[in-house]
C-alpha cells in the first residue's frame, strides 16, 4: 500500500462513520482490505444494536471472517477512523490482521499506542500500525457529532 | 456471592466447556449471572463458526446484552473457565460487567492479571476479579483436550 491508497480507504471509512452519525451513533467507521479490494465494511452500532461489542472494527472483522470463510485474516489491513479500543485491538490480534491504519488517536481508550500499545505485549501475533491518516477529518467527525449532541441536549 | 455460589457457577461453566470439547473446540465455557440467575451461556466456537471473535466470553456478553435489551451489563458477573484474553477483557470493560470469576490463569494471553491486568489502565470502567475458582478442573479440561489432540495427530 502506498500513502494514496491509505488516504483513499480512510475516506471510505469516513463515509461509513457518517452513516453511523446519521443514526445518532458515535461516528466511527471501519473497513478491511485485502489485495486492494474492500472485503468488509462496518460502522459503530452500539446504541442501535444495544450491544457492547458492536464497534465498527469488531463488526468489520466478523464480516471479513464470514466473507473469507475462516478466522485468520492474513494479508488484511483494517482501516478505522478512530484508534481501536482494547477489545478491538485484541480482536485484531485474534484475527491475525497484518496492518491497522487509523485516523484520529484515542488518547483515553486507544490500545494502538495512546493509552497502551497491544503490540508491546508478547502475544502470538503483532500487527503494523499507521496512525494519523486523515487525522483532522476523523477528529472533526467526532467533535462535530458531540457538539451537535450538546446542542440538542440544551 | 459467596464462595459456594462461585463454585456452583464455575461448575456450570465447566459443563459448557465440555460441550466445546465435544465439537473439537478448545474447551472454554462462560456464563453471565445477575441476582443469582444465569442470564446467558456460551462456549468457544472459533473453529465451528470460523470466527476470530467467537470466544466464550464475547458470545456470553452478546447474548446477555440481547437478553437484557441493553449494552450495559450492570450488576452482572461473568464466570469463565480460562482467564480472558485482551479482546474479551476489553469487552468486559465495554459492557460494564461488575465482576469476573475465572478458573485457570492464562499465563500467555490472560489480560486479568497474568500477561497484564486491563484494570491497571485508567479506562472508564474497572471490574472485580476473582481467579483460581475450580482451577485444577479448568486446567485439566484444557490439558486433557490438548493431550487427546496430540494423540490424534500421531
Amino acid at each position: 500500500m502506498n500513502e494514496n491508497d491509505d488516504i483513499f480507504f480512510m475516506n471510505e471509512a469516513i463515509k461509513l462513520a457518517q452513516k453511523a452519525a446519521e443514526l445518532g451513533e458515535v461516528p466511527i467507521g471501519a473497513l478491511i482490505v485485502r489485495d486492494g479490494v474492500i472485503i468488509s465494511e462496518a460502522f459503530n452500532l452500539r446504541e442501535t444494536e444495544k450491544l457492547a461489542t458492536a464497534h465498527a472494527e469488531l463488526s468489520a472483522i466478523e464480516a471479513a471472517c464470514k466473507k473469507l470463510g475462516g478466522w485468520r485474516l492474513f494479508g488484511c489491513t483494517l482501516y478505522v477512523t478512530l484508534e481501536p479500543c482494547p477489545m478491538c485491538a485484541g480482536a485484531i490480534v485474534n484475527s491475525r490482521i497484518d496492518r491497522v491504519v487509523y485516523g484520529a488517536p484515542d488518547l483515553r481508550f486507544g490500545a494502538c499506542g495512546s493509552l497502551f500499545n497491544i503490540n508491546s505485549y508478547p502475544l502470538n501475533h503483532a500487527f503494523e500500525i499507521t496512525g494519523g491518516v486523515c487525522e483532522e477529518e476523523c477528529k472533526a467527525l467526532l467533535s462535530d457529532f458531540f457538539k451537535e449532541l450538546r446542542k440538542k441536549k440544551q
Side-chain angles (χ1 to χ4, degrees), chain A residues 102-125:
Chain A
Y102 68 81
D106 188 341
L107 302 179
R108 290 173 66 204
F109 308 124
C112 291
S114 292
L115 180 63
F116 67 94
N117 186 338
I118 190 95
N119 288 319
S120 69
Y121 292 106
L123 291 157
N124 55 349
H125 178 74

Side-chain angles (χ1 to χ4, degrees), chain A residues 78-146:
Chain A
L78 182 138
Y79 290 85
V80 58
T81 55
L82 182 67
E83 183 183 351
C85 77
M87 174 184 76
C88 292
I92 291 160
V93 170
N94 290 349
S95 61
R96 314 286 191 264
I97 284 176
D98 283 1
R99 183 173 175 240
V100 168
V101 181
Y102 68 81
D106 188 341
L107 302 179
R108 290 173 66 204
F109 308 124
C112 291
S114 292
L115 180 63
F116 67 94
N117 186 338
I118 190 95
N119 288 319
S120 69
Y121 292 106
L123 291 157
N124 55 349
H125 178 74
F127 53 90
E128 195 190 326
I129 299 171
T130 306
V133 173
C134 308
E135 181 171 339
E136 293 313 314
E137 296 92 318
C138 291
K139 276 184 181 170
L141 262 173
L142 291 161
S143 58
D144 290 353
F145 176 80
F146 287 112

Side-chain angles (χ1 to χ4, degrees), chain A residues 3-142:
Chain A
E3 206 180 316
N4 283 340
D5 288 333
D6 283 348
I7 293 169
F8 173 80
F9 288 120
M10 190 57 75
N11 274 304
E12 293 300 307
I14 288 171
K15 288 179 202 164
L16 292 163
Q18 286 162 340
K19 290 187 188 182
E22 284 164 23
L23 296 172
E25 298 276 359
V26 177
I28 303 164
L31 54 86
I32 291 176
V33 171
R34 197 179 64 173
D35 299 332
V37 175
I38 295 175
I39 303 295
S40 68
E41 298 182 325
F43 46 87
N44 172 39
L45 279 171
R46 187 176 65 170
E47 303 298 334
T48 308
E49 302 270 4
K50 300 178 193 300
L51 211 53
T53 58
H55 284 197
E57 304 94 306
L58 207 84
S59 301
I61 288 169
E62 293 185 345
C65 290
K66 280 173 190 164
K67 181 101 168 251
L68 298 177
W71 61 262
R72 295 173 188 86
L73 300 178
F74 292 137
C76 289
T77 297
L78 182 138
Y79 290 85
V80 58
T81 55
L82 182 67
E83 183 183 351
C85 77
M87 174 184 76
C88 292
I92 291 160
V93 170
N94 290 349
S95 61
R96 314 286 191 264
I97 284 176
D98 283 1
R99 183 173 175 240
V100 168
V101 181
Y102 68 81
D106 188 341
L107 302 179
R108 290 173 66 204
F109 308 124
C112 291
S114 292
L115 180 63
F116 67 94
N117 186 338
I118 190 95
N119 288 319
S120 69
Y121 292 106
L123 291 157
N124 55 349
H125 178 74
F127 53 90
E128 195 190 326
I129 299 171
T130 306
V133 173
C134 308
E135 181 171 339
E136 293 313 314
E137 296 92 318
C138 291
K139 276 184 181 170
L141 262 173
L142 291 161

